[in-house]
Amino acid sequence: MAERATTPPILQGPTAKEKKYDRQLRLWAASGQAALETAKVLLLNSGPGVVGVETLKNLILPGVGSFTIVDEANVSELDLGVNFFLEESSLGRWRAEETRRFLQELNPEVRINALEGSIDAFADHPRRLEQYSLILLVGPTRNARVLDRICQHADKSSIPLFYIHCQGFFSHFSVQLPAQFPIVDTHPDPASTQDLRLLNPWPELLEFLEKKTGNLGLLSDHDHGHVPYLLILLHFLNVWNASHDSQAPANYSEKKEFKALVESGARRNNSEGGEENFDEAAAAVLKSLNPHSISSGLREVFEADACQNLRPTSANFWIIANAIQKFRTSHNGILPLPGALPDMKAQSSDYIQLQNIYKAKARSDLAEVTRTIRSSEQELGRRLSIEQAEIEAFCKGAQFIKVIHGRPIRVAKCTAEIDWSDRAKALSQELQNPDSLLPIYFAFLALDRYQDDIDRIRTLRQPANDQQFNDILTGRVVSGAVPPLPTFAESAHFSTPAVDPEHDPKPWPRFDTPEARTAFDDVVKELDRADWGELHNIAALTGGMVAQEVIKVITKQYVPVDNSCVFDGIASKTAVFKV
């Protein structure tokens, strides 16, 4: 009986989700997408609210799990002119529900809710915030108390918070992250991540080196021209060390001399007049022959108390960092090998064998770190083990990890000055730059303070109706009434007193140069002209920038803004400041 032919297995193509999110999966991989799909974002919308809706648009498309919109306003004629997620039939209806309805069409897989109530309710009952993984708060809030309490509770609960302002041609957003916000997958430049460990080779690599270059001069032209460049560098390092007391080239002059030594080994009596693999080796001398060192960010992690003294409640990040620090101590300052190899001219069999040597070493280092982690987990009495994938990701990216130290958002109150003592000097120096965008940030702070002043006057004077309150604001008051509130342009000048940051107990950044004062005045005039209004193009662009930073925070990949970003829509420039 003839043997039955075996049917080859059916090749599985990409799933519907992989097709839908193909491009973004290339950016933050499946782990990042999973983080997005489990995130719960709260939007506390106020003012025109266009920038908040535009931010959501750019988060709904990539598939962030769920959103809750809090917006007590009803749709007005002004909304129809700037908000693309409303239509004429929305007029007079609840804005949160109307925007929810149109946003939902962008991605049916995302859950979007509209929640009745005001932002004030979250300030008065801050525990309601704890169910969310990230908060978007659009300014200006009704008063400073609301902003302050929400910021305080978000900080206490370690919930990332974005405070967003958009008015006229200017916008700004500040990011309040937890006190320690570690990022493992920072996505550094691939060229900077190569770790060939040429100055610290291990036995298997040296054995392969001897096999391929022990008789380098006797190799055929074909084999000689296909020796991988890293083996060429290791071979000539041995030649160099023999005449330099086993000291590798350390400075530029020595590396230049070593490069000439490598180039002298190339065969020139061929049709190309040289060999590509030797050219690759010579080009790699400066970047590949450096003593192993760690980045300042990683050193800061190792020196942190959270790394030095583990506790049962320690985050996975610190337990892994502690294990890698122990690995480094026991290996003379060397980190676990990432295991990746750059492309190079070589025979396929040699390159694959070389890859396997590097991967085997990386697996061995990973196994050692893992054993240390399991031992620490047992000592700490932890019931859940850290996943192997998380340990592996840390080992591969250890050199480039970063911990951002979150700072509270500055809250401008009409009854108290902000204490700038820790940043006044640096910000004052920044204001000396005539092209600085920092005045935009201070103008928005002045706007917040002015809004708080309006609310305070509204509360104290208790006008009988909105018209009477408008009369107070505009100065149309009857004889004997209290004087009107200054305009924003008038009150803004009191928000930036020029004091000495060296001696004042609560100094402000100094606006004591004509350029800084003029720049501030120009921004104030534009914000005053806009009269609390948003321009759709500026709101859309700002929403895109905010959404990008939100994705970084949710996925804990790339490096988010630290901690305030301003946009000048007139000059089309952005700047980031740590305030």
Side-chain angles (χ1 to χ4, degrees):
M1 182 184 288
E3 189 173 333
R4 201 178 201 174
T6 303
T7 303
I10 299 174
L11 296 177
Q12 295 295 328
T15 64
K17 179 183 288 187
E18 288 171 338
K19 289 179 180 179
K20 181 174 183 178
Y21 298 128
D22 175 64
R23 290 187 178 182
Q24 63 201 49
L25 285 169
R26 303 180 198 183
L27 290 176
W28 50 71
S31 59
Q33 188 65 30
L36 288 179
E37 292 174 4
T38 57
K40 298 176 68 176
V41 176
L42 172 66
L43 170 63
L44 300 174
N45 216 15
S46 61
V50 184
V51 68
V53 173
E54 288 293 332
T55 301
L56 288 197
K57 176 196 74 177
N58 290 286
L59 294 173
I60 289 167
L61 291 171
V64 173
S66 70
F67 299 90
T68 298
I69 305 173
V70 177
D71 188 343
E72 60 182 326
N74 290 328
V75 178
S76 68
E77 292 280 0
L78 292 176
D79 290 323
L80 298 180
V82 292
N83 193 329
F84 282 8
F85 291 91
L86 297 170
E87 61 183 13
E88 284 192 36
S89 64
S90 304
L91 193 62
R93 295 180 178 177
W94 180 27
R95 193 167 66 184
E97 173 58 28
E98 289 299 297
T99 52
R100 183 212 65 79
R101 184 163 59 90
F102 288 105
L103 286 169
Q104 187 67 76
E105 295 178 2
L106 297 175
N107 193 342
E109 295 178 3
V110 173
R111 300 180 302 279
I112 310 175
N113 305 303
L115 190 63
E116 290 193 47
S118 66
I119 297 176
D120 300 41
F122 284 86
D124 296 332
H125 304 283
R127 288 193 175 277
R128 297 176 64 184
L129 298 170
E130 294 178 1
Q131 61 182 298
Y132 301 101
S133 51
L134 187 138
I135 301 168
L136 302 171
L137 176 56
V138 177
T141 56
R142 192 187 307 276
N143 55 50
R145 178 193 67 83
V146 172
L147 174 60
D148 195 28
R149 294 200 64 183
I150 291 175
C151 289
Q152 285 185 24
H153 193 76
D155 184 43
K156 180 181 177 182
S157 304
S158 296
I159 303 173
L161 169 69
F162 284 70
Y163 182 50
I164 314 164
H165 250 150
C166 186
Q167 189 162 317
F169 279 98
F170 299 115
S171 65
H172 131 268
F173 65 91
S174 289
V175 186
Q176 178 179 288
L177 295 175
Q180 291 179 329
F181 190 78
I183 304 172
V184 174
D185 195 354
T186 56
H187 291 266
D189 181 356
S192 66
T193 61
Q194 295 177 10
D195 185 3
L196 302 181
R197 208 59 61 85
L198 298 182
L199 299 182
N200 305 95
W202 57 99
E204 292 81 2
L205 181 60
L206 292 176
E207 183 181 340
F208 188 60
L209 170 69
E210 177 62 25
K211 177 182 177 182
K212 301 306 296 184
T213 65
N215 296 303
L216 186 63
L218 301 179
L219 294 177
S220 66
D221 286 349
H222 178 270
D223 289 344
H224 194 271
H226 285 80
V227 175
Y229 83 76
L230 66 86
L231 296 183
I232 294 173
L233 290 176
L234 281 171
H235 171 79
F236 283 100
L237 270 174
N238 290 337
V239 175
W240 172 278
N241 291 341
S243 59
H244 290 81
D245 297 324
S246 297
Q247 297 297 313
N251 53 45
Y252 179 77
S253 176
E254 289 180 348
K255 288 182 180 180
K256 188 176 180 180
E257 183 181 347
F258 178 77
K259 181 179 178 181
L261 174 64
V262 172
E263 290 173 335
S264 69
R267 294 179 181 177
R268 307 293 177 184
N269 57 345
N270 52 31
S271 58
E272 291 82 14
E275 294 176 306
E276 186 179 342
N277 56 338
F278 275 79
D279 292 340
E280 289 176 342
V285 167
L286 293 179
K287 66 179 180 181
S288 300
L289 301 184
N290 296 311
H292 192 80
S293 62
I294 63 173
S295 64
S296 58
L298 182 57
R299 188 178 304 279
E300 180 185 352
V301 169
F302 285 161
E303 293 173 353
D305 177 72
C307 180
Q308 298 283 346
N309 302 297
L310 297 181
R311 301 168 180 83
T313 56
S314 293
N316 292 354
F317 176 88
W318 295 113
I319 294 176
I320 301 173
N322 176 272
I324 291 180
Q325 183 188 35
K326 291 178 179 177
F327 179 96
R328 180 172 178 264
T329 300
S330 62
H331 288 79
N332 299 315
I334 303 298
L335 293 172
L337 186 72
L341 274 186
D343 192 20
M344 61 189 75
K345 184 171 184 179
Q347 297 186 78
S348 297
S349 58
D350 289 346
Y351 185 76
I352 292 172
Q353 193 169 350
L354 198 56
Q355 268 189 327
N356 290 335
I357 290 171
Y358 271 78
K359 287 180 179 179
K361 173 61 174 170
R363 286 194 296 268
S364 174
D365 290 354
L366 173 62
E368 183 175 339
V369 172
T370 302
R371 287 193 295 271
T372 304
I373 290 172
R374 300 306 178 216
S375 176
S376 296
E377 289 174 335
Q378 189 172 3
E379 292 174 8
L380 295 170
R382 288 170 61 102
R383 288 183 295 177
L384 295 177
S385 297
I386 300 173
E387 292 186 5
Q388 189 69 18
E390 187 174 353
I391 302 172
E392 184 175 357
F394 202 123
C395 287
K396 287 182 177 180
Q399 183 67 273
F400 302 94
I401 65 172
K402 186 177 181 65
V403 175
I404 296 178
H405 299 284
R407 296 173 61 85
I409 287 174
R410 303 281 188 177
V411 179
K413 304 177 182 178
C414 66
T415 56
E417 302 293 352
I418 297 176
D419 182 0
W420 294 98
S421 53
D422 60 335
R423 295 296 298 160
K425 188 173 183 179
L427 297 178
S428 295
Q429 291 173 347
E430 170 64 27
L431 288 169
Q432 305 305 309
N433 176 8
D435 297 323
S436 175
L437 300 186
L438 188 56
I440 296 176
Y441 172 77
F442 285 107
F444 276 112
L445 271 187
L447 189 65
D448 271 347
R449 183 174 180 174
Y450 181 68
Q451 175 65 39
D452 192 43
D453 211 13
I454 290 176
D455 184 75
R456 180 179 63 89
I457 296 299
R458 183 192 295 271
T459 302
L460 292 177
R461 295 178 180 175
Q462 296 181 343
N465 52 54
D466 289 341
Q467 183 57 49
Q468 184 179 344
F469 181 71
N470 289 334
D471 288 344
I472 291 174
L473 293 183
T474 58
R476 298 192 301 270
V477 293
V478 297
S479 176
V482 290
L485 188 72
T487 65
F488 167 59
E490 292 169 338
S491 69
H493 291 283
F494 299 103
S495 299
T496 54
V499 295
D500 184 357
E502 295 288 345
H503 303 98
D504 193 280
K506 288 189 176 181
W508 282 78
R510 301 183 65 177
F511 279 77
D512 56 354
T513 65
E515 293 84 3
R517 173 56 64 179
T518 299
F520 177 77
D521 289 345
D522 288 345
V523 178
V524 167
K525 289 176 184 176
E526 167 56 20
L527 296 183
D528 197 35
R529 179 202 66 80
D531 192 24
W532 314 103
E534 294 184 42
L535 299 175
H536 180 266
N537 57 338
I538 304 299
L541 188 146
T542 304
M545 292 193 296
V546 174
Q548 174 178 278
E549 301 306 313
V550 168
I551 289 172
K552 292 178 185 177
V553 171
I554 292 176
T555 62
K556 290 191 175 181
Q557 296 186 33
Y558 300 89
V559 181
V561 161
D562 184 19
N563 58 347
S564 292
C565 177
V566 297
F567 173 65
D568 180 348
I570 297 174
S572 192
K573 295 195 300 183
T574 59
V576 174
F577 303 104
K578 192 169 185 176
V579 297

